Structure formats: C-alpha cells, structure tokens
Amino acid sequence: MITPRVVQTGIPLPPRAGHADQRPGERLRERTIGVVDIGSNTVHLLVASTNGRHITPLLDRSEALGLGVEVDYEGTIGPDKVQELIETLREFRAAAAAEGVTDLHLMATHAIRTAANRDEITRTIEEVLELPVEVLTPEVEAEYGFLGADTDCPSVGPQVAVDIGGGSMQVSVGQHGEVWDCVSLPLGAARVANNFLPSDPPAYLEEALLVTYLANVIGPALPLPDANVTGVLGIGGTLRRSPQVLGLKPGDSFPNDAFDRILGKLRGRKACDIAKEFDLKPERARLLFPAILVIREVMRGYDFPPFIVSSYGMREGAILSLARRPLLRAI
C-alpha cells in the first residue's frame, strides 16, 4: 500500500480519524444520511438513502458563497461571510431534517482548511448550530471522491479519479474503492479562474500563460504516472457540466478530441452567453473553461486514456463511508 502523497500549501492539517472497511458479507441496513460539503465556491447539501453500497439521492441543494475568494485575497474568511455560511447551514439543516436526517455531517474542504482563522470559523459554527465540522485533509477528500466515483463507474483495472473543486484538485489512483496514491494541488476551477483568467471572456495571453503554467506543475506532480490505468473519472460540479457541451451525459465516454472540441465551443465567449446556450448558472459557466484546461493537462500526464464524468463524487463517497462506520464500531 503506497502512502498518499499530498502537494498542498497552507497551515498544518489534523490527522485523519481511524477507519476500516466492513467485514466481507456483512449486511448493512438502509439509512438516510445527510452531508454538507463546505467548498471554496459552493456549499452543497446531499441527503441520500444508502445501505453502504448503493445510494438513492433524496435531496440535492447548493449555494454559491465564494468562500475561497476571501481566503485567496485576505487569508481569512470575514465575519459577514461566516454569518452567510451559518445561515445557509441553518437552512440546510432544516431541509435535511424534513427528509428524516437527525445527524447532519458538515465537511469543510480547501477554503476553510487553508483559512488562517479556520479554528475560529469551525468553533463558531459548532457553538451556533451545535453541529461539529470535520475539516477534511486532502487525503480523506481524495479517498471520498475516489470511493464515490468508483462506485458509480467501477473499473476492471486501476483508474484515476480527478476531483476539481473550487479551490483545489485531488488526483487519485486506485481500484475497487481503495486509493493507492493521491496528490492535492491548489488548482480548483474558481481559484484558477480568479488568478489566471480575470477577463470575460479570457484573453488569448491569459490562456497561453495558464496553459504553460499547468504544463509545468501538473505533470511532475501526478501520482503513479506510469501506472497502466484503464481510464480517468472526472468528479466535481464543474466537470459534471462538461458532457452537455458535447451533447453527452454523465457516464458517456468522451471522444478522443473532446477537450479540444469543448474548448473550441467556449473560447472567446462570455460566461453569460455560455450559460444561456448550455443551461448553466453564469458563475458555473465561467469556471468550465479553466476546468477543461486543467483536466486536459492531467489526461496528458496519463497519455489520454478513456475519460468519463462520474455522477458521484466526494459527497456520495462520504455518505457511503459514513454508512459503514456504526457497523464497524459494533464489531
């Protein structure tokens, strides 16, 4: 078993709590579980019924709060934005309770993970809402993402999962829900857009500089680049919108020229025009172009194996993992 490798800037991260898999053949009862992913660009609620192996989504909501922007520019998340986050979490808790969730799980990723005032933020949330916040390490975030995607799109051989969030990107290699190696890079779609593509539409020089930067940093950092992987799974809200640009749906295999075709359809166009044509929110449409540039460079590092966008990701993986924990404690 290869120890996960993480390329990550920011403050030291807490160790992950112990976890193990269920015993073979052990039956799990059906449960309703709710998780909230407090991300850099959006805060996302997912409530699902699960037996630890399969998921039936019951409620899926999101709010774009842009926490990562404040962290990038200020290093902290200000009190107004924290209050906005708390109000969103309060609404999500009520919505989850209406679906029968009694124990809502809050998970924070890159924005809160790297904020200088992250302890203050999590303490405030816990005091006001009486809900603990788990600040996920990049390793755990990658493991959840891989578990979710591998459950949705199981492979006969090793495969790569690429989770492009708002602030960071997790690249994992593994098989059968188990991560062999992973890396986290601060290359989330919102962060890349804000730092490299400020114009709308992005200028040619902006794109050229970003492409050069990605070529220099992604390839050398990829986990197990010489592994004979059978495919790459795309994860995350932005990548999940990419199939519709080509008239595909999640789960469809991309053609060999897919990324260049998508970039051709997006290049030189304003986010509002992209949003209108492909039925996207404008803030999501703006992130699609940089996300495709990032995933294309990851694909290049693995010599362009087959690519599929998964309908499942980190939140689904977290629900599957949570569904197995009570049984393990009982054992």
Side-chain angles (χ1 to χ4, degrees), residues 79-91:
D80 291 343
K81 188 64 72 172
V82 172
Q83 185 59 39
E84 189 178 354
L85 171 60
I86 288 175
E87 291 304 318
T88 298
L89 295 176
R90 182 178 283 117
E91 293 175 7

Side-chain angles (χ1 to χ4, degrees), residues 239-259:
L239 283 182
R240 202 167 291 141
R241 273 67 177 184
S242 61
Q244 62 202 70
V245 178
L246 297 177
L248 305 174
K249 59 181 181 297
D252 288 343
S253 182
F254 275 38
N256 293 335
D257 62 347
F259 301 109

Side-chain angles (χ1 to χ4, degrees), residues 163-187:
D163 188 352
I164 300 181
S168 65
M169 170 180 69
Q170 277 60 241
V171 183
S172 312
V173 181
Q175 189 176 2
H176 303 317
E178 179 184 6
V179 173
W180 298 344
D181 194 11
C182 66
V183 63
S184 179
L185 295 168
L187 294 174

Side-chain angles (χ1 to χ4, degrees), residues 46-50 54-60 99 311-312 316 319:
L46 177 64
V47 176
S49 175
T50 180
H54 307 286
I55 287 180
T56 302
L58 303 174
L59 180 63
D60 195 336
E99 296 291 339
S311 296
Y312 288 1
E316 287 81 5
I319 285 178

